[in-house]
Amino acid sequence: MYSLVLVVCAAALTHSALAARVCSKPPEVLFATINVVKTVYDVGEEIEYTCRPGFVPNNGQRKYTCQPTGKWPLNTLLCLPKRCPTPGQLQHGKIDFIDSHYQTLPFLEYSIFLAVTCPPPPLSEFGVLSYRHVKPGNISYYMDTIIFECVPPLALIGNETATCQANGTWSSIPECRAVTCPAPSGIENGFLNFAVRRTYHYNETVSFSCQSRYVLEGPKHSRCEKTGNWSTKPTCKEPCKMPVKKAVVLYEGEKKRVQSDLKEGILHGETVSFFCKNKEKSCAYTVPVQCVDGNLTLPACFKGMSQANFKTDPSDMKPCEDHE
Ligand SMILES: *[C@@H]1O[C@H](CO)[C@@H](O)[C@H](O)[C@H]1NC(C)=O
Ligand SMILES: *[C@@H]1O[C@H](CO)[C@@H](O)[C@H](O)[C@H]1NC(C)=O
Ligand SMILES: *[C@@H]1O[C@H](CO)[C@@H](O)[C@H](O)[C@H]1NC(C)=O
Ligand SMILES: *[C@@H]1O[C@H](CO)[C@@H](O)[C@H](O)[C@H]1NC(C)=O
Ligand SMILES: *[C@@H]1O[C@H](CO)[C@@H](O)[C@H](O)[C@H]1NC(C)=O
Ligand SMILES: *[C@@H]1O[C@H](CO)[C@@H](O)[C@H](O)[C@H]1NC(C)=O
């Protein structure tokens, strides 16, 4: 048992000792190429990085030699975009970051923050797609975001925003498409204002109105959406007929006779108060009810004047001090 463990350990040691005599693939430097690309390098072998077109090396080292330990020396090369607008300022801003993290971050990780830029996104669609930077400046670094726009009336299909990713590409690029909606249909108990029967372009709107005494609820406008559908249309809410033939009620703060003043009923959303009687205290109190799309429910306490034996209408009785 022991001997087996020893054999395995010895084998592992030999293996690592052997492995130390070559270097594995050198670290990748963003926007740089290496002159000799292999999977293993001999000790003493030298490689050289070259920044890709459009990028310039910082003052870090470009040549590295495979060390007897089987490791490459710490890579200090950065390839920075040539178009860097204010390199001095930029370096200054980021140097603090390197100073405080140099010891803990692997080289590639902080080099990403410094060197990754995304090229301007391809805008091949005849200039209909444009974008703007969220932050000022013309160069997009890692994590920077841009916002796209399409020339009206084209609709932007896809993600409106894109983020510069660690590998120097944009997270997504939308497209601009012509979208039309069919001639809009009308709404119940209402109509389209000034509507011409035609197809509509993306983002065009139509507006609606209701027939007399109907109340429009929801958005007044409907918009032709990217899907080619109309956005939610409003609805027309029905007025309420008064559910009693004769009664005195409170409406807009005044006593009104249902049979003469409120013949047409009340509108959706409006409130009337009915008078209810407290027999023990011979007083009256009011109970408000609201018209909801043609429905108006009488309060349970209310006994209308149609009931024959009424001597005193509750609306003429003294108001109760308070009622339960
Ligand atoms: C951005 O680029 C435009 C055109 O290439 C140039 O006119 C402008 O000065 C640049 N702005 C900055 C902040 O570099
Ligand atoms: C759009 O892209 C941003 C990155 O720029 C991402 O955070 C967001 O989740 C994306 N939105 C959708 C709807 O995919
Ligand atoms: C860049 O990175 C993103 C996210 O990790 C990945 O989806 C995309 O395929 C990569 N693009 C290239 C060209 O490597
Ligand atoms: C859609 O139209 C409104 C005006 O009705 C405008 O404010 C908005 O920017 C337009 N949106 C697009 C994506 O064109
Ligand atoms: C748009 O309308 C089509 C039918 O014309 C329907 O299948 C689709 O679900 C609608 N899309 C949305 C977002 O309402
Ligand atoms: C109106 O009342 C009827 C009958 O009680 C009911 O079916 C309907 O849902 C009500 N409508 C509203 C908008 O409350």
Side-chain angles (χ1 to χ4, degrees):
M1 189 62 184
Y2 271 123
S3 60
L4 180 62
V5 172
L6 279 173
V7 168
V8 171
C9 283
L13 281 169
T14 318
H15 180 75
S16 64
L18 279 175
R21 292 200 197 128
V22 295
C23 288
S24 56
K25 261 178 79 175
E28 268 186 49
V29 173
L30 281 148
F31 308 115
T33 52
I34 303 170
N35 62 339
V36 187
V37 181
K38 300 196 289 188
T39 48
V40 289
Y41 295 76
D42 294 328
V43 170
E45 208 174 335
E46 191 185 68
I47 55 159
E48 181 173 357
Y49 290 87
T50 307
C51 288
R52 291 198 174 151
F55 295 86
V56 286
N58 66 339
N59 47 18
Q61 211 176 315
R62 294 208 296 124
K63 291 182 178 174
Y64 296 90
T65 306
C66 176
Q67 294 177 315
T69 54
K71 294 243 163 69
W72 295 100
L74 181 69
N75 197 314
T76 55
L77 179 68
L78 296 178
C79 290
L80 298 170
K82 268 184 185 159
R83 299 184 311 138
C84 206
T86 48
Q89 204 184 351
L90 174 83
Q91 298 250 328
H92 183 72
K94 306 271 177 170
I95 289 289
D96 292 343
F97 178 80
I98 292 176
D99 283 347
S100 57
H101 291 78
Y102 189 81
Q103 301 304 323
T104 50
L105 280 182
F107 175 78
L108 201 63
E109 204 166 331
Y110 73 72
S111 78
I112 278 172
F113 279 86
L114 267 177
V116 169
T117 61
C118 284
L123 303 177
S124 55
E125 295 180 52
F126 313 105
V128 295
L129 182 65
S130 63
Y131 68 91
R132 62 189 161 83
H133 292 261
V134 170
K135 288 197 294 192
N138 281 351
I139 295 176
S140 302
Y141 292 95
Y142 176 52
M143 296 291 269
D144 281 354
T145 298
I146 53 175
I147 299 176
F148 291 97
E149 268 174 19
C150 290
V151 169
L154 298 181
L156 187 146
I157 309 293
N159 199 330
E160 192 185 53
T161 66
T163 304
C164 179
Q165 302 178 117
N167 58 11
T169 64
W170 291 103
S171 56
S172 62
I173 297 185
E175 57 175 306
C176 299
R177 244 186 252 164
V179 167
T180 54
C181 289
S185 57
I187 55 172
E188 220 178 313
N189 300 309
F191 50 88
L192 276 155
N193 295 330
F194 322 112
V196 181
R197 275 208 74 81
R198 60 168 172 94
T199 59
Y200 284 74
H201 289 295
Y202 165 64
N203 207 27
E204 277 191 290
T205 59
V206 290
S207 69
F208 295 88
S209 294
C210 290
Q211 284 164 17
S212 168
R213 300 193 57 75
Y214 279 78
V215 173
L216 188 123
E217 211 170 79
K220 196 173 189 306
H221 298 273
S222 182
R223 192 176 295 274
C224 175
E225 295 184 320
K226 286 173 189 180
T227 54
N229 295 350
W230 289 96
S231 67
T232 310
K233 292 170 184 168
T235 52
C236 293
K237 301 291 187 193
E238 231 181 292
C240 293
K241 292 205 177 84
M242 296 307 285
V244 286
K245 288 208 178 71
K246 281 178 81 179
V248 173
V249 295
L250 269 184
Y251 175 68
E252 292 178 340
E254 288 177 29
K255 281 187 181 176
K256 300 278 185 191
R257 285 169 199 284
V258 163
Q259 60 274 28
S260 50
D261 303 327
L262 294 176
K263 264 193 270 189
E264 302 217 280
I266 63 169
L267 302 184
H268 166 74
E270 287 184 334
T271 298
V272 291
S273 294
F274 287 88
F275 288 91
C276 290
K277 200 168 172 177
N278 181 327
K279 272 188 192 147
E280 291 90 66
K281 294 184 183 164
S282 4
C283 60
Y285 57 92
T286 56
V287 177
V289 292
Q290 194 178 33
C291 168
V292 179
D293 196 14
N295 284 12
L296 192 150
T297 313
L298 280 176
C301 61
F302 176 80
K303 302 277 184 281
M305 285 193 292
S306 53
Q307 300 200 335
N309 57 353
F310 253 118
K311 297 235 166 65
T312 335
D313 184 87
S315 67
D316 292 331
M317 294 170 74
K318 75 173 168 64
C320 299
E321 299 286 305
D322 59 3
H323 71 90
E324 254 53 347

